[in-house]
Amino acid sequence: MTHTSLTTANEFIARHIGPTEAEQRRMLELLGYDSLDALTDAVIPAGIRGTSTLDLPAGLGEAEALARLKAIAAQNRTFTSYIGQGYYGTHTPAPILRNLLENPAWYTAYTPYQPEISQGRLEALLNFQTLISDLTGLPIANASLLDEATAAAEAMAFCKRVSKNKASQRFFASRHCHPQTLDVLTTRAEPLGIEVVIGDELQLEDTAPFFGALLQYPATDGDIHDYRALVERFHASQALVAVAADLLALTLLAPPGEFGADVAIGTAQRFGVPLGFGGPHAAYFATLDAYKRDMPGRLVGLSVDAHGEPALRLAMQTREQHIRREKATSNICTAQVLLANIASMYAVYHGPQGLTAIARRVHRLTAVLADGLAQLGFAPQQLHFFDTLTLATGERTAAIHEAARALGINLREIDDAHLGLSLDETTTPAQVQALWTLFAEPGRALPDFDSLAAGTADALPAPLLRQSRFLQHPVFNRYHSETELMRYLRKLADKDLALDRAMIPLGSCTMKLNAASEMIPVTWAEFGNLHPFAPAEQSLGYRQLTSDLEAMLCSATGYDALSLQPNAGSQGEYAGLLAIRAYHRSRGEGERDVCLIPASAHGTNPATAQMAGMRVVVVACDARGNVDLDDLRAKAEEHGARLSALMITYPSTHGVFEEGVREICDIVHAHGGQVYIDGANLNAMVGLCAPGRFGGDVSHLNLHKTFCIPHGGGGPGVGPIGVKAHLAPFLPGHGRMLRQEGAVCAAPYGSASILPITWMYMKMMGGEGLRRASQVAILNANYIARRLEEHYPVLYSGERGLVAHECILDLRPLKDSAGISVEDVAKRLIDYGFHAPTMSFPVAGTLMIEPTESESLAELERFCEAMIAIREEIRAIERGELDRADNPLRHAPHTARQLAGEWTHGYGREQAAYPTRAQVEAKYWPPVGRVDNVFGDRNLVCACPSIEAYQDA
């Protein structure tokens, strides 16, 4: 008699890891190894092998993990929040929740660097840019930034670059800005030598000392100030003015661009994006056309494809950090695309009339609330306001807060004698009446809501009422029924290639499974409806979640302490370098300012070092792509007294475990420096070796790469930093935390609402599952390298001819032999149904491939067969069987419209569109042909154009 095990099996590991055990054995046989352990022992240098300290229990099944997380979430208490301060309740429309936020076609997509397969999300982002430009009254806006506070810091640096007051190092920031914004401004200013002067702009007598200014509109306390004269004064002093503006208020108030602002920044959170304990939320940045080349972040622009048809793309990329490196003006590498798209579709769904109606309702409720409070003896301190009131509550302040919490209500804590109230889209008349009960003396009758609603006047200042129209483009005036919006979202998703369709083999970007069980908790109300500044006792579930996650990530990396605050990899890099900088200063060695960076490093590394006030010194790489140890020794010796840090990526950006990594760390430490190990390639190390145990002092971890948070079309990201114990005192602080200095983003735990994804992944995989994932990632990469090496040379490998988790194929010889570029191969892959690997990084003319552990052998083979078939097409060109100018690669990708029209090519339609049987069974049709990058930059259009405007262009 057989017995069935009554213990719940962990089905998740096998569902996350693509190749079955039988397939793994076949792959290992091709490579010449009899086990995964033997392969990884051959790949990982002996000097660091076994340094992993990963000690996690066995993985949980999906149902059990969800149940445990639900119990943790239940510890959060979701009160009705009137805290405001840049964070507001909002309704995420159900069709947007179901068809966008919870749809893998949207959340598993990559940054739209390959525009031909990204037209859907590029259109959604163009809608976002149009929304921001229209509401702010400024002609150009980017495709989102990380949060309002970091957008303000970007605005400060922007003003420094373009202001004509070049002698000044002083930036004025209004004390009426949100406190978290002022905290981040202070953090970001100090390394750049900028002095932030915080003061009352209404009392400011002299604007001459400043190169720029930041104002809040409406102010954090609710006031609406008329800034027209003040802006003119700043301009007369050759200073620029940035305005942090509330988007919903701008439907009723004159936009910043109309009263002279040079920059408008803010958050789009209240356009349908849940509070989420602080994030992720899309920030915005808009400015004048004259400054477009200095604007930080990504910018979507309109161009044409090879057939003269309209096509979208990321515009002016040469100004971004991955091109400009240490000369970059920002280190931003991710945006908040998924959240920007939610805000974009919120505006599409509601349209200008709907948005205005929401804003008017919020303001009317606030005005009625204010009149009722005045009747109760608590007249607001604001004469003019939109949705926020400040009240002088004197010695009753503490009692009012206590009474509010007894009713499940949070009010804003200002000081012992004042409190604040902010209403939002979710507020109801019944809630306004409930608020009155908190302020009424016992036995006193409450104001009559209906009579006040009938007689209360608006409290918006007449000179600042909005006169200009906005969102007149048809896209904001058509899709107001759920049927229409659902079909619009489906149409856009069908244009794109995301992980729900095919493997995305991007080197350095780790596009792996984002499992449904990991994603489900993101939209639980217990995580989504919590204000980031709610009292600590209401967020016990988040505290347990973050504590668990910090412990698991420290175990995975070998570090002693961790901060989850950085809300992007670039922010993690920045926080890590700030910790190193502060550590040196604490030891009286503040002169240490040299950062050594290998020539192969990610573009964010030198850009981040520059932002952290460090001088970048480049270290050469040898012929095998490794750090040149002789050059490192020489540079470390030359700059020894001023050496602050070394930034390296490990495994290297060339996809190899460098044998000399311990020696590299020892050289830097011997000269008093600290070692920053970029965690972009951690997916090859978890459970196998630990950066905190082989020489790293600090690393940032890309939770949107190694730990399964999805890329969302280019963001969100999470970039926590792990540090050794001596750097722990210098982790990011926050006004809401024990250590208050050094905040790097607006919320204490950054993008907290997506942390459950990583918690679920690590809990379900367990220690052994995480180790196996790293091993299979290495196996899959080496399998692809071996399958393709006779067709395309593998540029770099380790001592035993093996790669780490990614491999670089050298396509440069094809330019001479067949006139084929790396771009031609990348675009031809689209015809085969694949997103291209990473192009020309870290070496021009190459493709960097990272399959991850999640891809099955069948999908790996489909990709290899596509690459081999493309190589056969190139060989046909080399033999003269296909024309060097007229061939399937040079004209790729091929659209359905192109095939249905007149055919003028020397190769057939079937070869163009159906090069293998796989395309016959499931064809992805690119919506546009190859996009003309030059045309797009020369004829820059970055908002929804009218048909007439495009025809004129």
Side-chain angles (χ1 to χ4, degrees):
M1 181 178 178
T2 59
H3 293 276
T4 301
S5 171
L6 299 181
T7 303
T8 303
N10 180 352
E11 75 288 3
F12 180 75
I13 296 173
R15 289 176 176 172
H16 176 82
I17 294 176
T20 64
E21 290 189 9
E23 290 170 341
Q24 292 172 31
R25 287 193 293 271
R26 287 168 49 196
M27 297 162 72
L28 286 164
E29 185 178 352
L30 176 70
L31 296 171
Y33 293 90
D34 60 8
S35 69
L36 279 174
D37 287 343
L39 173 65
T40 49
D41 282 351
V43 169
I44 298 175
I48 66 169
R49 200 182 305 148
T51 55
S52 173
T53 57
L54 187 58
D55 182 20
L56 299 178
L60 305 174
E62 294 181 61
E64 186 178 359
L66 282 167
R68 288 200 188 181
L69 188 57
K70 193 70 173 178
I72 290 173
Q75 297 178 52
N76 289 330
R77 302 171 66 195
T78 51
F79 284 23
T80 302
S81 174
Y82 301 101
I83 298 172
Q85 201 170 318
Y87 299 95
Y88 305 93
T90 182
H91 294 302
T92 307
I96 295 176
L97 177 71
R98 175 61 58 88
N99 298 298
L100 198 164
L101 178 56
E102 296 178 342
N103 184 347
W106 288 89
Y107 67 68
T108 69
Y110 182 61
T111 306
Y113 289 132
Q114 294 287 340
E116 296 84 0
I117 55 175
S118 309
Q119 291 295 298
R121 57 190 178 275
L122 283 167
E123 181 173 328
L125 289 174
L126 191 74
N127 294 345
F128 178 80
Q129 291 177 181
T130 305
L131 163 70
I132 301 305
S133 180
D134 276 15
L135 286 180
T136 61
L138 288 162
I140 192 164
N142 70 16
S144 80
L145 292 175
L146 299 175
D147 60 25
E148 180 169 331
T150 52
E154 294 292 343
M156 175 179 67
F158 171 92
C159 289
K160 184 74 179 92
R161 290 193 301 276
V162 302
S163 171
K164 294 180 180 178
N165 191 356
K166 298 298 182 185
S168 174
Q169 290 293 115
R170 304 179 79 193
F171 183 76
F172 179 84
S174 167
R175 68 175 184 85
H176 300 111
C177 292
H178 295 315
Q180 68 272 19
T181 298
L182 297 176
D183 288 347
V184 173
L185 270 184
T186 303
T187 299
R188 290 277 291 269
E190 193 271 334
L192 299 175
I194 294 172
E195 179 188 355
V196 176
V197 178
I198 299 172
D200 188 341
E201 67 275 24
L202 304 179
Q203 307 297 323
L204 186 64
E205 296 181 358
D206 186 7
T207 57
F210 305 105
F211 65 80
L214 176 69
L215 311 172
Q216 190 92 37
Y217 179 73
T220 190
D221 59 8
D223 274 307
I224 300 172
H225 302 299
D226 188 339
Y227 287 131
R228 290 174 293 185
L230 179 63
V231 170
E232 289 182 5
R233 289 173 56 210
F234 273 115
H235 285 168
S237 302
Q238 298 188 317
L240 272 66
V241 177
V243 174
D246 184 300
L247 288 180
L248 192 62
L250 293 184
T251 65
L252 305 179
L253 295 174
E258 291 182 9
F259 58 74
D262 304 285
V263 179
I265 61 100
T267 176
Q269 178 268 316
R270 70 190 309 173
F271 276 33
V273 181
L275 288 165
F277 204 46
H281 303 143
Y284 71 83
F285 189 111
T287 188
L288 301 171
D289 184 74
Y291 302 136
K292 58 180 176 283
R293 295 187 183 277
D294 291 283
M295 183 169 58
R298 298 180 186 137
L299 183 66
V300 175
L302 182 67
S303 186
V304 295
D305 72 1
H307 314 295
E309 298 297 324
L312 298 166
R313 59 180 282 273
L314 292 180
M316 297 192 300
Q317 289 189 50
T318 53
R319 78 196 204 293
E320 293 188 35
Q321 48 77 20
H322 61 284
I323 302 291
R324 292 180 57 80
R325 301 177 75 81
E326 69 269 20
K327 296 182 176 63
T329 54
S330 170
N331 72 337
I332 291 171
C333 63
T334 50
Q336 299 286 19
V337 172
L338 186 66
L339 300 315
N341 285 339
I342 292 171
S344 158
M345 292 306 159
Y346 181 92
V348 166
Y349 195 40
H350 287 296
Q353 288 79 25
L355 293 179
T356 302
I358 292 169
R360 285 210 59 77
R361 181 179 174 279
V362 171
H363 176 65
R364 292 294 303 151
L365 284 173
T366 310
V368 171
L369 172 65
D371 270 11
L373 289 170
Q375 288 187 15
L376 296 171
F378 291 94
Q381 296 190 330
Q382 289 72 38
L383 175 63
H384 299 300
F385 52 82
F386 168 60
D387 64 0
T388 297
L389 309 172
T390 300
L391 307 176
T393 45
E395 60 186 20
R396 286 193 58 194
T397 304
I400 292 172
H401 280 299
E402 184 179 353
R405 287 171 192 163
L407 295 176
I409 291 171
N410 286 329
L411 309 177
R412 181 174 175 183
E413 299 176 5
I414 297 177
D415 56 36
D416 291 343
H418 298 83
L419 57 77
L421 289 162
S422 292
L423 305 193
D424 57 49
E425 177 190 8
T426 68
T427 307
T428 65
Q431 289 173 331
V432 169
Q433 295 172 77
L435 286 171
W436 285 332
T437 67
L438 298 174
F439 296 88
E441 295 285 354
R444 179 166 181 174
L446 295 180
D448 182 85
F449 183 92
D450 291 336
S451 358
L452 283 179
T456 295
D458 284 354
L460 301 172
L464 291 176
L465 292 177
R466 182 162 194 140
Q467 304 299 323
S468 55
R469 301 171 74 190
F470 57 92
L471 302 186
Q472 298 303 295
H473 190 275
V475 75
F476 297 104
N477 294 279
R478 172 180 172 181
Y479 303 107
H480 300 333
S481 75
E482 181 166 341
T483 304
E484 285 287 303
L485 183 69
M486 175 179 66
R487 290 172 181 163
Y488 180 52
L489 288 169
R490 173 62 185 265
K491 181 180 79 170
L492 295 186
D494 282 349
K495 293 181 178 183
D496 288 6
L497 196 59
L499 270 177
D500 64 327
R501 288 182 187 261
M503 169 187 181
I504 301 181
L506 285 157
S508 190
C509 288
T510 318
M511 300 293 294
K512 64 203 291 182
L513 172 69
N514 312 122
S517 56
E518 295 160 5
M519 299 301 297
I520 284 170
V522 170
T523 52
W524 288 350
E526 298 94 329
F527 287 133
N529 292 348
L530 203 64
H531 195 287
F533 304 145
E537 64 271 14
Q538 296 172 21
S539 57
L540 297 181
Y542 262 119
R543 308 298 174 185
Q544 182 175 339
L545 172 78
T546 54
S547 177
D548 286 354
L549 203 47
E550 288 168 6
M552 289 190 290
L553 291 171
C554 283
S555 180
T557 58
Y559 287 111
D560 301 312
L562 189 120
S563 169
L564 292 163
Q565 187 180 122
N567 54 4
S570 57
Q571 292 290 82
E573 288 182 15
Y574 181 70
L577 290 191
L578 288 188
I580 290 172
R581 191 170 182 268
Y583 168 73
H584 287 313
R585 290 190 164 195
S586 74
R587 292 159 50 88
E589 297 182 342
E591 72 282 356
R592 290 186 175 272
D593 64 349
V594 169
C595 188
L596 302 178
I597 300 180
S600 63
H602 294 94
T604 51
N605 289 175
T608 300
Q610 178 270 329
M611 283 178 52
M614 296 183 181
R615 293 189 294 127
V616 173
V617 174
V618 177
V619 177
C621 292
D622 63 22
R624 301 187 63 180
N626 299 325
V627 173
D628 186 320
L629 290 177
D630 289 336
D631 192 50
L632 175 64
R633 289 190 193 93
K635 298 284 176 58
E637 182 68 34
E638 178 186 354
H639 300 285
R642 301 190 69 94
L643 179 58
S644 179
L646 167 75
M647 297 184 82
I648 58 168
T649 300
Y650 200 78
S652 75
T653 309
H654 292 128
V656 175
F657 279 96
E658 297 186 38
E659 295 283 341
V661 66
R662 274 195 184 272
E663 186 176 358
I664 289 169
C665 296
D666 289 344
I667 290 169
V668 174
H669 288 147
H671 289 85
Q674 297 285 286
V675 176
Y676 180 99
I677 298 180
D678 188 311
N681 294 341
L682 193 66
N683 206 49
M685 292 198 289
V686 177
L688 303 177
C689 53
R693 292 289 181 266
F694 61 71
D697 297 294
V698 55
S699 293
H700 87 269
L701 324 176
N702 293 104
L703 300 194
H704 49 290
K705 294 184 181 183
T706 304
F707 297 101
C708 289
I709 290 176
H711 284 65
V718 182
I721 57 168
V723 297
K724 299 298 287 182
H726 64 282
L727 293 181
F730 310 106
L731 287 171
H734 195 278
R736 306 290 295 194
M737 299 170 71
L738 290 176
R739 179 175 179 265
Q740 298 191 347
E741 305 82 22
V744 295
C745 70
Y749 291 91
S751 293
S753 68
I754 53 177
L755 296 178
I757 301 169
T758 297
W759 188 97
M760 283 289 294
Y761 171 65
M762 298 189 78
K763 285 291 186 182
M764 291 189 294
M765 292 295 278
E768 182 53 37
L770 292 169
R771 182 174 185 273
R772 182 59 56 93
S774 300
Q775 290 183 307
V776 176
I778 291 171
L779 172 65
N780 284 358
N782 278 282
Y783 183 78
I784 284 180
R786 185 62 55 87
R787 287 277 281 117
L788 296 181
E789 64 184 358
E790 66 179 285
H791 305 282
Y792 307 90
V794 176
L795 191 57
Y796 299 112
S797 61
E799 297 288 340
R800 296 172 181 82
L802 297 168
V803 299
H805 62 304
E806 60 192 6
C807 60
I808 298 176
L809 304 184
D810 191 357
L811 275 62
R812 291 172 294 183
L814 303 179
K815 192 69 176 175
D816 292 332
S817 67
I820 294 299
S821 69
V822 65
E823 183 178 25
D824 294 329
V825 175
K827 303 309 180 188
R828 182 60 171 153
L829 270 169
I830 297 173
D831 290 329
Y832 285 80
F834 283 105
H835 192 297
T838 302
M839 280 198 320
S840 292
F841 176 81
V843 180
T846 65
L847 289 177
M848 183 161 61
I849 300 166
E850 181 180 354
T852 83
E853 72 276 11
S854 295
E855 297 300 340
S856 67
L857 179 57
E859 187 71 352
L860 299 181
E861 287 291 3
R862 191 172 77 88
F863 174 75
C864 290
E865 288 165 6
M867 289 295 293
I868 292 168
I870 290 171
R871 185 64 182 94
E872 289 303 319
E873 292 176 337
I874 297 169
R875 290 191 179 104
I877 299 169
E878 293 168 338
R879 293 191 297 265
E881 297 166 10
L882 285 173
D883 188 83
R884 284 175 71 96
D886 182 25
N887 60 68
L889 286 92
R890 292 291 296 275
H891 295 291
H894 298 85
T895 66
R897 181 175 180 179
Q898 181 184 0
L899 265 68
E902 181 182 359
W903 191 255
T904 59
H905 299 297
Y907 56 95
R909 286 181 170 90
E910 185 172 358
Q911 182 179 2
Y914 298 102
T916 67
R917 179 167 294 278
Q919 282 72 58
V920 177
E921 295 173 354
K923 176 65 180 175
Y924 166 74
W925 288 103
V928 298
R930 195 175 304 193
V931 177
D932 187 331
N933 293 326
V934 175
F935 181 93
D937 283 350
R938 287 179 177 172
N939 304 274
L940 194 64
V941 177
C942 294
C944 297
S946 66
I947 299 298
E948 296 76 18
Y950 181 73
Q951 288 173 340
D952 290 344

